[in-house]
Amino acid sequence: VNAADVVNSGIDFTVNYSSKAGKFNYRIGLLGSTVKNEVLALGTGQDTIPDVAITGEFATLTTIGRPIGSFYGYKVAGVYQNAEEVAQFPSQQAVKPGDLRFEDVNGDGIINSRDRTFLGSPIPNFIYGFNVSLEYGGLDLSVDFNGVSGNKILNSKKMARGFGLPNYEASFLDRWTGEGTSNTEPRIMNGGYPNFSVSENFIEDGDFLRLRSVVLGYTLPKSLTAKWFLSNLRVYVSANNLATWTQYSGYTPEIGSGAVTRVGIDGGIYPVSKTFLFGIN
């Protein structure tokens, strides 16, 4: 079907600078793209397109005026610490001390599915990179970074820990075990509402900066290589994906994409490999 009208707008820029001073050369490059994604119309006869069923609830909602595939769920106001808090705050079905406390978004005094709301977009609003290359005599060094900012990730791998699967999350060690122990990580339970519902508890910042590659090389002097009947000889060592700076708790913040309404959902994606290479040209 012709499902929607969507507009992507922004600015792409690239800046490069190079200079030479005797035996020393250097180059600096910057590039970036700002991104604004917005659904203008839906052609399916619907006002919304829900997608990605997780624990019986859809996790993304596509609607006019928002980015496609926006995350949708409950806002978290804390963890119930005792029975008095359960009775004091807006009525929330079948909760106990240690469970997540959701926000009463519509203000009707009852917390239910009508309080689900938009929790961010999986689409970054800024994509960027920069690189530096240095040369001095026979030595050369190049460094390349890339990153994104402004996007969210649904850590559904973290949600899976409640369904008899192994525990992959260090945050589990910080769970609620009694009054005052945690106001962010709920108690142990084997799945279900509210602790494994789609909520801010599983929505994380997807910002990252990655040191994508580093290459260090040395080209031997021609006076030496000529004796070996070679016009050029260079040895080098390189490292890829050497370091990633991110607040995301999963294996990698680079989730990739599938269907456009299912972007930014981490179901246990395999992390990028860190590699070291040695070579001779």
Side-chain angles (χ1 to χ4, degrees):
V1 297
N2 189 11
D5 291 338
V6 181
V7 62
N8 291 286
S9 58
I11 299 173
D12 297 332
F13 66 89
T14 304
V15 178
N16 292 295
Y17 179 79
S18 62
S19 182
K20 182 176 182 180
K23 294 183 178 181
F24 181 64
N25 302 326
Y26 67 92
R27 294 180 295 275
I28 300 173
L30 302 172
L31 59 92
S33 297
T34 63
V35 182
K36 180 182 179 182
N37 176 278
E38 182 181 358
V39 177
L40 301 181
L42 297 178
T44 60
Q46 304 179 69
D47 295 328
T48 61
I49 301 176
D51 204 351
V52 192
I54 300 178
T55 64
E57 301 169 327
F58 60 85
T60 73
L61 187 64
T62 299
T63 188
I64 296 171
R66 291 187 177 272
I68 193 168
S70 294
F71 294 123
Y72 197 77
Y74 296 97
K75 287 189 173 183
V76 176
V79 173
Y80 290 107
Q81 298 298 316
N82 50 49
E84 288 75 17
E85 286 192 357
V86 173
Q88 172 188 355
F89 290 104
S91 174
Q92 189 169 338
Q93 181 182 6
V95 293
K96 300 178 180 179
D99 287 339
L100 290 175
R101 177 165 60 89
F102 296 148
E103 286 190 16
D104 181 15
V105 172
N106 62 4
D108 63 358
I110 300 174
I111 297 174
N112 54 29
S113 60
R114 294 181 179 178
D115 293 300
R116 301 182 75 213
T117 188
F118 290 96
L119 302 177
S121 169
I123 302 172
N125 55 35
F126 187 48
I127 303 168
Y128 63 94
F130 56 95
N131 57 80
V132 178
S133 297
L134 308 173
E135 296 178 5
Y136 182 79
L139 283 172
D140 62 89
L141 172 67
S142 62
V143 182
D144 183 31
F145 293 86
N146 74 304
V148 302
S149 67
N151 63 306
K152 299 292 185 179
I153 296 173
L154 172 59
N155 190 347
S156 64
K157 175 174 64 67
K158 182 179 178 182
M159 301 174 76
R161 76 180 185 204
F163 297 92
L165 299 177
N167 168 42
Y168 297 113
E169 298 295 324
S171 60
F172 189 66
L173 299 174
D174 300 322
R175 68 193 182 277
W176 185 91
T177 56
E179 185 171 348
T181 54
S182 176
N183 199 40
T184 55
E185 284 296 318
R187 67 183 175 92
I188 294 174
M189 62 182 296
N190 190 28
Y193 179 90
N195 298 342
F196 291 91
S197 297
V198 179
S199 73
E200 285 182 320
N201 192 45
F202 303 106
I203 303 292
E204 303 184 36
D205 288 339
D207 301 11
F208 73 89
L209 171 63
R210 171 165 289 155
L211 178 51
R212 187 163 58 179
S213 69
V214 179
V215 181
L216 177 64
Y218 178 67
T219 301
L220 276 67
K222 292 186 180 299
S223 59
L224 181 60
T225 56
K227 297 178 181 180
W228 305 332
F229 304 101
L230 298 173
S231 60
N232 190 76
L233 179 62
R234 177 176 176 267
V235 295
Y236 67 92
V237 57
S238 70
N240 296 324
N241 303 313
L242 194 59
T244 303
W245 294 272
T246 181
Q247 295 298 313
Y248 180 59
S249 66
Y251 294 142
T252 175
E254 284 190 296
I255 305 303
S257 61
V260 293
T261 54
R262 302 180 180 185
V263 178
I265 298 176
D266 182 4
I269 187 171
Y270 198 82
V272 294
S273 299
K274 182 186 299 182
T275 60
F276 297 90
L277 304 174
F278 304 88
I280 299 176
N281 294 329

